Structure formats: structure tokens, C-alpha cells
Amino acid sequence: MHKPILIIGACGQIGTELTFELRSKYGADNVIASDIREGGDALMQSGPFELLDATNYGAIEDVVMHYEIDEVYLMAAMLSATAEKFPMRAWNLNMNSLFNVLNLAKDKKISKVFWPSSIAVFGPNTPKTNTPQSTIMEPSTVYGISKQSGERWCEYYHKKYGVDVRSVRYPGLISWKTMPGGGTTDYAVEIYHEALKKGSYECFLKSDTELPMMYMDDAIRATIDLMESPSEQIKVRSSYNLAGMNFTPEQMAESIKKHIPAFDISYAPDFRQEIADSWPSSIDDTEARNEWGWEPKFNLEQTTKEMLDNLKG
Ligand SMILES: NC(=O)c1ccc[n+]([C@@H]2O[C@H](COP(=O)([O-])OP(=O)(O)OC[C@H]3O[C@@H](n4cnc5c(N)ncnc54)[C@H](O)[C@@H]3O)[C@@H](O)[C@H]2O)c1
């Protein structure tokens, strides 16, 4: 039987689906969901839940001891667009929550940690296409600075204290179960909702802004595959580049038009354009493929079909 798992930030876009998948794999009672707020009905009814503040070390430690937790997935964070509005709150949440979990592992109270990084670790001076695993990283956003610092600390805790921490740099994630939580790639989810509701969408990025993206099923599979891989295969202890697909808002609109021919997109770029312009347009994920067998399954056309079919209900 798998040892108990704690998910912190379980009610968000990724945490919700991660909780469902881990519960179906390891049993509902073995996966403790937690968040600072309650989540959707389906999540709340699917197994044990604790209200928990990721910045409160003592509270996390209590839950870890109570349930004899062995692995923690830390999904609580403030995302890119919101973090630009509240820089210090973002820094405090993103860094303190990570230190809390890394320190629990350093003190051997848990044995494995998953912490997600992001393509936001890259910046305007990074090579934009096929961005390599190791390259210039000068993030220009609060969120990117916190993720890059987090990566350095993960590697440090692994090297100095032997902490088994694993991480991927998620691209923008597309899903239908839970709405996204304030990122720069949120348009790629909102567009499907609006296409079905209104037949049109006003995009906050320019038509030709190409970004790396991924369908949620692929992201969840990558996360669990990485966590299940033997420790010696995991050579990168900062965070792995991870690629799914790349497209522009215009290409996404074209793929929607194949299902909804009258769909109309317009563009009104806002402050998020500058964030998007600082990020890569495509990612080289050779290390993840070679070291733990990563391979994406969903392209843009399949994603559009899945999104429209599921949102139609
Ligand atoms: N969604 C994406 O496209 C994407 C891309 C790259 C990286 N990531 C990273 O993946 C992780 C999860 O992202 P997400 O999209 O699910 O975010 P989200 O905003 O949808 O969910 C985050 C959850 O954390 C909770 N939370 C906030 N403050 C908390 C606190 N103090 N204590 C406990 N919980 C708290 C929120 O209530 C929310 O349910 C984050 O680290 C994010 O940076 C996400």
C-alpha cells in the first residue's frame, strides 16, 4: 500500500485534478487534500480534507504527523498575473511555503517533495525557441523570480541535505474541471468557455504571441511519473523543462473554428502581454524525455476537442 500523501493547495486548477488522480491510484483515504479555502463539491466529497495555510509551518507539521504523511505535493502559490499586483505577498507565499516543506523533508518528517516551477523562470534574455534546460535565466516578473529562487533552493536542499525533491517547469495548463488561478496563459482556458457561451472572445494577448502550453492530463501524468521514478534517474534537482505544444491565440481560434465556424476572436492586450513577451515560445525537454521517459500525448487539435466536448457536458 502507498504511504499517505498530502497535497497543499489542492483546490486550485492543478491540485484538484492531481487529487482526483492520486486518489484513484492510491486510494481516497491515502491522499489528504488541503487548502486555505474549500474547493468544489466533487473534490470535497472525494476524500479527507484539511483547511491548512501553507505559510504556517506548525500547522503543516501537525497534519503531517496526524496522518503519518510520507510525500507532499506543494501546489499553493500566487501565479504570474496576480503576483505582479501583490509582489510582497507573492514572494512571501511562494518562498515560505516552499521552505516549510523543504525543512520538513530535511528533518526527515517526510521523505519526498513535489514542487512545481514554471516557464516563468526564463526571461527576456533567454533564447526564445527550443529553450534549453540550462540557459540564461533572468526572469523579469515577481512570479518568475520566486520560481527561479525556489529552483535554486530545491537543488541546494537536495545536495546539502539529501532532500528528495522533484520538480517540473509547467508550461501554461489547459483544463476544464477548475478555472485557472490568475496566470498569463489563462486565455487558453477562458477562450473555450466564451466560445461556447457567447461565440466570441476578447483575448488579453496579441494574436501572434506564441507560448508553450500543455493539456492538464499530460501535466498530471508527468507529475506522477516523475514522482514514481527511481531516485537515481532524477538527475535534475532544480526543475525539468517540460513541453507539450506551442501555439498562438490566432492558431487556437482557428482550431476552435473547426468546431464552431462562427467563432470570432478580437484582441485587447493588457499588462499580461509584457509578461508573455518575456517567456519562451517553445521548450526543449530532452532531459525529461531521456531521464524519466516523458512524452506528451495531447496536441492543440486534441485539446480543443476534449475541452469543447467536456465543457458542453
Ligand atoms: N496553472 C498553470 O498554468 C501553471 C503553470 C506553471 C506553474 N504552475 C504552478 O503550479 C502550482 C499550482 O498552480 P495552479 O494553477 O493550480 O494554481 P491555483 O491558483 O489554481 O491554485 C493554487 C491553490 O493554492 C491555494 N492557496 C493559496 N494560498 C494558500 C495558502 N497560504 N495555503 C494553502 N493554500 C493556498 C489557493 O486557494 C488555490 O486553491 C503553482 O505553484 C503554480 O505556480 C501552474
Side-chain angles (χ1 to χ4, degrees):
M1 206 168 87
H2 201 276
K3 291 187 183 156
I5 293 172
L6 173 65
I7 304 173
I8 302 177
C11 300
Q13 190 194 4
I14 306 174
T16 299
E17 299 207 28
L18 182 65
T19 305
F20 290 140
E21 188 58 27
L22 288 173
R23 283 185 170 158
S24 81
K25 264 185 111 85
Y26 303 134
D29 289 339
N30 262 334
V31 180
I32 315 307
S34 76
D35 204 290
I36 201 159
R37 61 177 170 109
E38 292 198 348
D41 288 347
L43 178 81
M44 297 306 289
Q45 285 155 19
S46 69
F49 178 84
E50 292 282 339
L51 274 178
L52 187 60
D53 180 352
T55 61
N56 183 340
Y57 180 86
I60 305 176
E61 189 182 24
D62 286 349
V63 171
V64 163
M65 292 302 157
H66 179 75
Y67 290 97
E68 297 177 16
I69 298 294
D70 188 56
E71 290 178 14
V72 172
Y73 289 71
L74 174 57
M75 310 311 284
M78 194 183 288
L79 304 200
S80 57
T82 314
E84 288 305 294
K85 296 183 182 155
F86 309 105
M88 289 323 296
R89 270 171 56 193
W91 176 257
N92 288 334
L93 171 61
N94 296 2
M95 299 314 296
N96 290 338
S97 59
L98 176 59
F99 279 124
N100 286 344
V101 175
L102 289 176
N103 284 329
L104 279 170
K106 176 184 165 220
D107 293 344
K108 309 270 185 275
K109 291 177 175 149
I110 52 175
S111 61
K112 221 190 259 186
V113 174
F114 178 80
W115 170 81
S117 186
S118 158
I119 55 162
V121 291
F122 301 115
N125 299 326
T126 303
K128 250 191 161 4
T129 52
N130 261 330
T131 302
Q133 175 68 40
S134 300
T135 183
I136 299 170
M137 294 163 84
E138 294 171 353
S140 55
T141 63
V142 173
Y143 177 70
I145 294 169
S146 76
K147 290 294 186 190
Q148 200 205 6
S149 308
E151 287 192 8
R152 298 290 88 227
W153 280 109
C154 287
E155 193 180 274
Y156 185 90
Y157 268 65
H158 176 72
K159 282 196 174 142
K160 292 277 170 178
Y161 311 124
V163 167
D164 188 356
V165 54
R166 303 168 184 214
S167 176
V168 290
R169 293 169 179 155
Y170 288 131
L173 298 182
I174 303 169
S175 68
W176 54 271
K177 285 187 187 154
T178 311
M179 286 304 279
T184 301
T185 52
D186 290 9
Y187 93 82
V189 176
E190 291 168 8
I191 194 169
Y192 293 110
H193 288 263
E194 298 288 297
L196 288 168
K197 224 181 337 177
K198 300 201 303 210
S200 64
Y201 179 64
E202 187 181 274
C203 184
F204 58 74
L205 297 181
K206 285 194 247 169
S207 63
D208 60 352
T209 311
E210 186 179 19
L211 287 169
M213 300 272 189
M214 183 175 285
Y215 189 56
M216 186 62 84
D217 291 26
D218 273 345
I220 299 294
R221 191 167 47 81
T223 305
I224 298 175
D225 281 358
L226 174 64
M227 285 297 270
E228 286 183 342
S229 294
S231 184
E232 59 279 7
Q233 269 173 245
I234 314 300
K235 308 263 180 358
V236 175
R237 293 297 183 153
S238 51
S239 190
Y240 279 99
N241 272 9
L242 195 69
M245 52 191 143
N246 326 300
F247 55 80
T248 65
E250 193 174 12
Q251 288 166 335
M252 189 165 221
E254 286 307 315
S255 89
I256 293 175
K257 277 186 197 165
K258 290 180 189 155
H259 302 260
I260 308 173
F263 177 66
D264 184 41
I265 186 163
S266 57
Y267 301 94
D270 66 14
F271 72 102
R272 289 168 281 194
Q273 184 66 47
E274 194 183 335
I275 305 178
D277 287 342
S278 77
W279 290 354
S281 52
S282 59
I283 297 286
D284 178 348
D285 61 0
T286 306
E287 281 81 355
R289 286 170 184 266
N290 290 346
E291 289 168 21
W292 45 278
W294 163 244
E295 203 179 334
K297 287 193 178 150
F298 286 84
N299 62 23
L300 176 57
E301 300 309 326
Q302 291 160 311
T303 300
T304 294
K305 188 173 179 328
E306 286 283 311
M307 287 296 287
L308 293 176
D309 285 353
N310 282 296
L311 288 175
K312 262 187 253 167

